[in-house]
Amino acid sequence: MSNPKGRLELTWMGKDQALIPVDHGKYDYEWVSTQDPRAREVRTVDVNGSYGEGPDDNLLITGDSGDALRALVSVPEWADRYRGKVKLVYIDPPFNTSQVGFEHYADSLEHSIWLTLMRDRLVYFKDLLADDGSVWVHLDDAEVHRMRCLLDEIFGAANFVATVVWQKVYAPENRTDVSASQDYILLYAKDRPTWAKSRNLMPRDEKQTAQYKNPDNDPRGPWKAADATAKADVGRRASQFYTLRTPAGNEYQPPSGRCWLYTEDRFEEMVADNRVWFGKDGGSRPAIKKFLTEVKQGVTPSTWWPYTEVGHNQEGKKEIRSLFPSIVPFSTPKPERLLERILHIGSNPGDIVMDCFAGSGTTLAVAHKMGRRWVGVELQSDTVATFIEPRLKAIIDGTETGGVTASTGWAGGGGFGTAVMAPSMYEVDEDGTVYLSEDAVNGAFSRSVCGQLGFRFEEGDPIFCGRKGRTRLAVIDGMADEHVVRVVVSSLAAQEKAMVVAKGLQEGVAELLRELSPGSRIRKAPEDLFMKRTVK
Ligand SMILES: C[S@@+](CC[C@H](N)C(=O)[O-])C[C@H]1O[C@@H](n2cnc3c(N)ncnc32)[C@H](O)[C@@H]1O
């Protein structure tokens, strides 16, 4: 389908709308206009606990990922910490497979809902990612093709890096027509050329290293014989075609369609430096010696990830079972080795890794063991309490011995902060009129207004609760009258302006404020907080 701009684009019912979660901690969503305050509301991230040391490094949020991401990009304190700073996002969202029987979450969201949810979150990822960052989206056949279109639209087709094929099962399913062996992990870069320079190589495995030998005891160490010819295409010089004489006197021409890799002069220099191999007898066709010490220190990652290298679904389940032997294991945990590879390629120790569909917490667990900082979001508080928190605590305590603990050399340490998404401050009735909810009182309301209007929260001042440059924010939990305005203005320092937000405005206060402090403004909550755009 093509849109009016003529660009190829996936469209769906409700693409121009927003979705809001309607029931806390479940999978119910409601379509609303993108102007609806509940879709634009920046909810507060309420930090409510911590575990271990250095809890500010890592953050575990219970709540909807859309709410959490909007807060992380909008609330100045969080935006400072995360915007443009996240090195890697991995998500393993519900696959939308319509499979029934998953114990811990519903996996049959309708396509339009699924696409809208994903689109909204991908847009935030783009904002959060560092210039050399990458996003890895784990899916199966149900939605992978639609997600490719979506990712192209948001990240740009030029930033598509690869589709990783993960061999997820070791035993085929014989009760179906064709048994699916793989999942897909779509890899997009924030900016592909920048990412390409910073991504890590895979360590050379023993088999690959064993290809380097040293039959002539070269002091430069083991080497591998590489082709001494190149394709004779355009750009090759006439001086790359000549008859080559070996030390034993044999003569060779490049095979047809090929030329020598080097000109004759350069070739002689290579021979003098003992970088050409003519076989033990000195009379074979030449090969170039590629020394292990001189090649890239690793191999380029490729897209085929067999379970022998990164584990399979059952391995993930087994890891969860051994952590929690007495409970029904989480439905779809990924093996730690899979995440180890992803985090190895796309991040370095100290980098921030994010997973906002955290599930049993595999990404966070592996990130922790690999010395990355992390942010996790999970909707279901049960899942957080049953799996994620105890898993991370055991890792921090050094009592967890499974997964990649041994291969990463993990011995315990670190910590994390926990947070929940604060409830909504707004209600919208059937006519689209916005009301403040019963939660919109006192400190909670002030904090929420700070986040909504982009003010930095300030504690301890009797009048003001936020600051943005030279503007101070005063949130009045009631009516703003003449007295309130006079107190606010008299509390301003020289050069400062006020933004007053009140639940009610006495007639004439806006004019009074402007008169007493030109440039200061007053807004009525809730309607003026959303820039007076009407709710459809
Ligand atoms: C496939 S599981 C992730 C499994 C995880 N990779 C692991 O290894 O355990 C998807 C998770 O996303 C959560 N989820 C679904 N919708 C969400 C939302 N809107 N916000 C946050 N989490 C959500 C589900 O509750 C579920 O735990």
Side-chain angles (χ1 to χ4, degrees), residues 216 223-229 244 246-247 252 260-262 267 270-271 274-279 282-291:
D216 58 347
W223 52 269
K224 190 169 89 172
D227 195 350
T229 68
L244 200 146
T246 73
Y252 291 105
W260 296 115
L261 194 57
Y262 303 113
F267 205 89
M270 299 281 288
V271 173
N274 190 23
R275 285 178 176 270
V276 184
W277 176 245
F278 295 98
S284 306
R285 272 193 164 274
I288 306 297
K289 290 162 71 176
K290 267 207 171 346
F291 293 95

Side-chain angles (χ1 to χ4, degrees), residues 27 29 64-65 92 105 332 334 356-357 359-360 362 378-379:
Y27 296 95
Y29 298 93
D64 170 65
S65 45
D92 172 21
Y105 62 90
T332 54
K334 301 300 172 278
C356 63
F357 292 91
S360 67
T362 312
E378 167 57 46
L379 181 66

Side-chain angles (χ1 to χ4, degrees), residues 17-30:
Q17 289 188 285
L19 277 174
I20 52 164
V22 284
D23 207 347
H24 234 54
K26 300 241 185 74
Y27 296 95
D28 278 340
Y29 298 93
E30 182 186 338

Side-chain angles (χ1 to χ4, degrees), residues 128-149:
L128 288 163
L129 280 176
D131 291 344
D132 57 356
S134 56
V135 51
W136 304 63
V137 181
H138 191 138
L139 292 171
D140 69 3
D141 284 299
E143 294 288 355
V144 68
H145 51 310
R146 282 180 275 268
M147 184 54 110
R148 268 298 300 273
C149 295

Side-chain angles (χ1 to χ4, degrees), residues 379-427:
L379 181 66
Q380 304 277 22
S381 49
D382 278 2
T383 303
V384 173
T386 313
F387 298 102
I388 308 182
E389 284 192 354
R391 183 176 191 177
L392 289 166
K393 286 177 180 174
I395 290 168
I396 288 163
D397 295 346
T399 55
E400 191 264 6
T401 54
V404 299
T405 293
S407 64
T408 53
W410 179 251
F416 64 99
T418 55
V420 292
M421 294 311 298
S424 173
M425 299 286 129
Y426 309 101
E427 278 165 16

